[in-house]
Amino acid sequence: MSKSIELDLLPVVYRVFSAVWSMPIDRINVTLSPSDEVVEWDYRVTAPDKEALVDLKVAWEAENYGTLAPPTTSELVVKLRNGVSVLLLTGERVFLIPPGRYSPPTKWSLRSLEKVASLVADLRDVEGWRPLDRLREAYGALRP
């Protein structure tokens, strides 16, 4: 994910953690990672007595199939086992999956993700979702 898109999504990260931690946005601090090659997270989210490392993943077409692709599932499981939360964006929803030891099948279903996620929200309900079209364009550019 490009750093400019990660930067554009900062308002979403603030709103997601404000909802999950039941805390006003002004008590939350979000820092971008220095580089994807250096660390395995995209955001460090901190608040008084709370901290989370978060990786941003996009599975834009997952809603069409009801599952994540096997490579995406594998990548998520590794991040989650290493103590990194995952902010997963599909074409319609945003999921915040807390770290832990999960044993999903090869293709992790969205229905199963709903059960383990700290937050599931419709993208249209996330205020300040201006980068949606840009993210859609970036996803389209990455596809063969």
Side-chain angles (χ1 to χ4, degrees):
M1 194 66 47
S2 86
K3 285 293 175 197
S4 63
I5 291 174
E6 290 170 11
L7 187 60
D8 287 346
L9 291 172
L10 278 173
V12 174
V13 174
Y14 275 100
R15 284 180 174 85
V16 164
F17 276 89
S18 175
V20 170
W21 288 346
S22 300
M23 186 174 293
I25 288 174
D26 63 352
R27 303 226 24 220
I28 297 170
N29 185 39
V30 181
T31 308
L32 282 172
S33 70
S35 165
D36 287 333
E37 288 86 44
V38 177
V39 293
E40 60 180 25
W41 49 270
D42 295 316
Y43 306 100
R44 178 185 300 272
V45 184
T46 56
D49 301 325
K50 296 183 185 283
E51 180 177 75
L53 298 177
V54 182
D55 194 58
L56 176 65
K57 290 291 169 228
V58 177
W60 208 247
E61 293 183 350
E63 299 286 348
N64 296 336
Y65 303 104
T67 63
L68 299 178
T72 305
T73 297
S74 298
E75 192 175 344
L76 261 63
V77 168
V78 169
K79 298 273 184 190
L80 296 166
R81 285 184 178 162
N82 287 332
V84 177
S85 297
V86 174
L87 185 64
L88 175 70
L89 304 176
T90 68
E92 297 176 14
R93 294 183 282 177
V94 58
F95 296 80
L96 179 63
I97 307 158
R101 296 189 104 27
Y102 301 99
S103 298
T106 305
K107 294 180 178 181
W108 205 346
S109 76
L110 295 182
R111 189 166 280 164
S112 295
L113 280 173
E114 289 173 1
K115 293 175 184 174
V116 299
S118 300
L119 177 100
V120 180
D122 188 303
L123 285 180
R124 293 175 297 239
D125 294 338
V126 178
E127 287 291 320
W129 184 254
R130 291 189 342 235
L132 182 59
D133 291 333
R134 186 166 169 212
L135 187 60
R136 222 179 244 137
E137 288 171 15
Y139 178 79
L142 293 173
R143 297 186 67 198

